Amino acid sequence: MTAVIEVRSPADGGVAGAVPDQTAEEVSSAVANLRANQPAWEALSYAERVGWLRRYRDWLLDNEDRLGRLLQSETGKPWGEATFEVPYVVDVINYYAKHGERFIAEQTPRPHGAITMTKKQRMVYRPYQVVGVITPWNFPLALALMDSVPALLAGASVVVKPSEFTPLVTREAIAGWAEIGAPPVFGCVTGYGPAGAAVVDNADFVQFTGSTRTGKVIGQRAAERLIPCSLELGGKDAMVVLADAELDRAVNGAVWGALCNSGQMCTSVERVYVEAPIYEDFVARVVERVGELRQGQDDQGYHFDVGALANENQLAIVQRHVDEAIEQGAKALTGGKRAAAGTFFEPTVLIDVDHSMACMTEETFGPTMPIMRVADAEEAIRLANDSAYGLSATVWTKDKQRGESVARRLEAGSVNVNDMFANLFTLPLPQAGWKQSGIGARNGGEYGIRKFCRSQAIVSSNLTPKREPQWYPYTRLKGTLLRKLTRLVTARDLRRRFGLR
Ligand code: NAI
Ligand code: MG
């Protein structure tokens, strides 16, 4: 009998559903099936694959509410956040459906020099056969599908291993692929870490989103198998608020950026640096805004802003960061503790914090906003860069040019100036974590689909004499002629071209 994973609602602890805890053998045989079906999928034209993805997009839109409710049941998100993900995936489908063919079109570069003048050169993008996508619990639909879409369009088969905490909506969304009658090249396996490890052991490319700790384990295993991986890991995103910032926008951006999805976003605002002249004012307005937020999980009524944390582990991390900070002299101006039922944690604004505290250096992944006063932009930049992570950051100032020049000095893969999460929607730009935040990137226009391909060089001869001059046999006459000829075309001055003294 297969073991089962019972999925519980973080909002009320009720049972939301169950999925099998699949063994390594089951994962391996699922991957083998996907591999067997891949060549026929790759053999379709790009337009034919686009046809399936467009039908799938329509299925997602037709089932949006049902998927939203299921997602909500296992994540504890308020309705406003439970319905974030389908539109995002739809945008990704539309983008790669429209541009992907051009991004992976075969290229025929011209010969770069005389020696290869008679060769026809082609560069062909051929997909990896099976792409494994391993995902966390914070955005179970978007993170599973956003990478699967370009991989499928490239012609790969895709297997997704969702988080054991939120497997229901991912599994249901992938069932939609079969429901529309699409070729069997998109599958879902479920289980704990070992099921993820079995994906790494059987796939040809691994796309992982999750913790830096697990990312390193996956990277090591991928290295042993000599397969590439793309790791989208944690962050400790800094927000830099300069004295001339549009204050209300910065405050609203900070509150949403830190508390959206209960702070369980890799790109959450995890720490805020505010220039001294506006510090008091900024903090006062943040506290006022946070006080207006409603916490809880509604049905479809948009009655709440801040939902639950994904599970007790997550709540324990957040509580530890807050408690330690307070023990070390920080002050909580709001929240600071869990709310009555479920795994809700009250939105927590912390001040008098510094870099000796875990809340400023470790990924919290919760509804906290530690705010630190800085003397000037230089100090803010120095502190923002004082982190093991380098995912993204934001800069707030009315002087856009100055904002961008500060951005260029931050050690982060993406920087938004006067905006929050805007880069997540700019599909032509890469989302790449620097430092401990990952390797590789997602999206980034052509990069986002080429990464799922192996580039193949095909060279064919336009002229086919019996033999080429450099082939056997080697003779003095041929050798001397060849060397003179090569010199003639590669040297860049007369003396060397003609071997003159
Ligand atoms: P995790 O990174 O351990 O889990 C993510 C996925 O990896 C899950 O599907 C899990 O089953 C799978 N997995 C676990 N061990 C594996 C292995 N050895 N080989 C292959 N797959 C494996 O994340 P977890 O424990 O749920 O969250 C821990 C922390 O990760 C959070 O506190 C947060 O700081 C961070 N996190 C970061 C996210 C991001 O978007 N950057 C998302 C979720 C969590
Ligand atoms: Mg946060």
Side-chain angles (χ1 to χ4, degrees), residues 133-139 143 161-165 191-200 206 208-215 217-218 221 232-235 264-267 270 311 313-314 317 363-365 389 391 437 442:
V133 176
I134 302 172
T135 58
W137 35 255
N138 52 343
F139 292 96
L143 291 173
K161 206 302 275 178
S163 166
E164 55 273 29
F165 293 104
Y192 296 96
V199 167
V200 182
V206 177
F208 171 74
T209 311
S211 65
T212 297
R213 177 177 43 79
T214 302
V217 173
I218 289 177
R221 185 63 191 141
E232 312 298 319
L233 310 177
Q264 302 171 115
M265 260 176 103
C266 48
T267 54
E270 290 255 335
N311 51 54
N313 307 343
Q314 207 46 48
I317 296 170
E363 186 171 43
T364 305
F365 229 63
Y389 294 105
L391 191 55
S437 292
R442 59 160 55 100

Side-chain angles (χ1 to χ4, degrees), residues 17 31 33-34 64 68 176 305 317 397 435 444 481 496 498:
V31 172
N33 279 333
L34 290 166
E64 191 175 8
D305 307 298
I317 296 170
T397 166
K435 304 202 264 186
L481 266 174
R496 291 183 179 82
F498 294 103

Side-chain angles (χ1 to χ4, degrees), residues 81 86 98 123 145 147-148 166 196 211 254 297 318 367-368 371 378 428 432 475:
E81 290 175 355
V86 166
K98 182 167 175 199
M123 153 100 137
L145 299 186
D147 295 305
S148 300
T166 55
S211 65
Q297 182 197 281
V318 179
T368 61
I371 310 176
E378 289 306 312
T475 67

Side-chain angles (χ1 to χ4, degrees), residues 1 28 39 75 88 91 134 186 208 233-234 250 252 255-256 263 267 324 363 381 389 407 458-459 471 486 501:
M1 205 185 78
S28 163
T75 59
Y88 189 85
D91 192 40
I134 302 172
F186 190 21
F208 171 74
L233 310 177
N252 290 327
V255 172
W256 188 57
T267 54
E324 281 181 15
E363 186 171 43
I381 293 168
Y389 294 105
I458 299 179
V459 184
W471 295 2
T486 329
R501 294 271 146 191

